[in-house]
Structures are given as C-alpha cells and as structure tokens.
Amino acid sequence: GAGVSQSPSNKVTEKGKDVELRCDPISGHTALYWYRQSLGQGLEFLIYFQGNSAPDKSGLPSDRFSAERTGGSVSTLTIQRTQQEDSAVYLCASTLGRGADTGELFFGEGSRLTVL
Amino acid sequence: AQSVTQLDSHVSVSEGTPVLLRCNYSSSYSPSLFWYVQHPNKGLQLLLKYTSAATLVKGINGFEAEFKKSETSFHLTKPSAHMSDAAEYFCVVSSNDKLIFGTGTRLQVFP
C-alpha cells in the first residue's frame, strides 16, 4: 500500500492477556518508530528501529513491552500481561534515512488498545 | 535534553479570525523544530519544519511559524482560520534520532 499500515485498528483485551500490534511501513523506509498516544498526554516515544536494529528502546515503559523488526520491514510490538494503564493508541511511523533530521515521519492511523 | 512546551491545551477561534498556537522549546543547541497536525480519525501529518535555514517557515494550508531564539519560541500562526483547520496540533523537537512531541493543542473553529 501507499501508506503505513497498522493492524488491528482496534483491540479489546482482558487484563493479563498478551497482545501483538503490527506495523507495515512504507516500502523502502529504513527507519521505523513506535509511539503511544494516551488521552491528554500527547505522544510518548517507545522505540526506534534503523533497519532491523533498535538503537533506542529507551521509551519502552517496562519489560512487558518488546518490539522486533524483521527483513527491514514489518514490525511487531508485543505487550505481555496487559494492564489497564496500557490502554492507549499505539502509533507507528516510518521514514527514509534518519527521521530526526528531516522531521518527516509518515504515521499510520494507529491501533487502539483497550484493556478491561 | 530537548523538550517542547505547548502553552495552551485548547484554543477556540471564529472562522476568518487569526490563529495563534504557542510553543516554547528547551535545547542546549540550535534545534530542529516541527509542527504536526492530527485531524479526527486521521494519521498525523507534518505541517512545517524549521532546520535553521530561515527563521520564518511556511507550511501547508496557509500556516507558518517563526523561530525566535531570544524567546525560545516557535509559535504557529495562520491569518484566517477555516473550519477545516479544526484538529490537534503538536509542536515537536528533534532529539537523538527521535522526535519529541509536545502535549498538543486542540484547535476549535466556530462558524
């Protein structure tokens, strides 16, 4: 597709379950970012990939959160033993080169996670 | 560390009147600054960017922003608001290979 694709668009889960969120970046984009958007709290940086490597995973809130990227393309964000405070919209973005230089990240529409 | 502060969580204007969304930055060196817009149920989109080439930056949809080092500000303006400008606006600074977002300003435009 032409843009960044995220799935699922909506996920409702029970506390304690694991969830996987998927991101398909724009073809050829080497950098991939995950952010979390909570109500009234703006966007919170989670992790950044350059190719398959994650030079910066400083934003992951706890060891329940992990992410991987394979083939320099698709990325999966996994949240284990979900808690209610994990409820948020998880946004993925991609860009050519180093996104922080150009500032132009291309965002998907997000995966809305609700933990009951 | 770089950071941005958006001074207003909500701004309301009438259609046809000027828009001012305020942003102050904190940086130990000359920063790269951006404004993003998020329309309801749409993805975030880059509105404009400052990377030290010119202090007055023009973006899409008639928006512009001025970098003022003396005031550490990067306010977003538009001379005349349109109903379609209603959205959430984020001031953003580049820091260590990632973008740091402000908390956002929700712009409401009344007819």
Side-chain angles (χ1 to χ4, degrees):
Chain A
V4 177
S5 178
Q6 293 188 246
S7 60
S9 54
N10 247 300
K11 175 73 176 179
V12 180
T13 190
E14 293 179 349
K15 178 181 169 182
K17 301 278 191 187
D18 297 351
V19 297
E20 282 190 356
L21 308 176
R22 176 187 167 105
C23 173
D24 273 283
I26 293 172
S27 178
H29 279 191
T30 54
L32 185 148
Y33 296 76
W34 283 99
Y35 284 84
R36 179 168 71 174
Q37 186 173 24
S38 304
L39 198 60
Q41 294 190 24
L43 271 75
E44 175 189 5
F45 168 80
L46 297 179
I47 187 170
Y48 152 61
F49 288 92
Q50 187 62 252
N52 291 337
S53 303
D56 190 343
K57 49 180 86 170
S58 62
L60 295 177
S62 74
D63 58 9
R64 295 187 296 105
F65 287 72
S66 63
E68 65 175 13
R69 189 179 185 196
T70 54
S73 181
V74 172
S75 176
T76 303
L77 177 69
T78 301
I79 309 172
Q80 295 178 307
R81 305 181 303 281
T82 51
Q83 304 294 312
Q84 287 181 332
E85 61 262 28
D86 301 333
S87 297
V89 177
Y90 290 82
L91 294 168
C92 177
S94 71
T95 191
L96 283 170
R98 294 174 60 208
D101 290 342
T102 67
E104 184 149 27
L105 300 189
F106 295 85
F107 280 85
E109 294 192 9
S111 293
R112 181 177 297 277
L113 175 65
T114 303
V115 182
L116 301 177
Chain B
Q2 274 66 254
S3 65
V4 288
T5 301
Q6 292 186 245
L7 301 170
D8 307 294
S9 58
H10 289 86
V11 170
S12 297
V13 300
S14 298
E15 191 175 23
T17 64
V19 175
L20 170 64
L21 305 183
R22 299 182 294 164
C23 173
N24 286 112
Y25 69 89
S26 173
S27 177
S28 54
Y29 52 84
S30 185
S32 292
L33 294 161
F34 316 89
W35 278 96
Y36 271 76
V37 60
Q38 186 177 35
H39 286 95
N41 301 316
K42 296 268 182 73
L44 282 146
Q45 180 184 19
L46 179 66
L47 201 53
L48 52 79
K49 60 183 178 183
Y50 166 76
T51 53
S52 78
T55 56
L56 183 62
V57 182
K58 294 189 185 299
I60 60 174
N61 300 333
F63 283 93
E64 60 183 40
E66 186 171 9
F67 175 75
K68 290 188 177 180
K69 187 174 180 179
S70 60
E71 299 176 9
T72 61
S73 70
F74 189 58
H75 301 334
L76 182 70
T77 60
K78 182 173 181 177
S80 176
H82 192 273
M83 295 297 291
S84 61
D85 294 329
E88 185 98 20
Y89 292 81
F90 294 93
C91 184
V92 182
V93 65
S94 169
S95 175
N96 296 328
D97 280 345
K98 57 184 180 279
L99 299 185
I100 306 299
F101 284 73
T103 51
T105 298
R106 181 163 297 279
L107 176 64
Q108 283 186 301
V109 183
F110 294 104

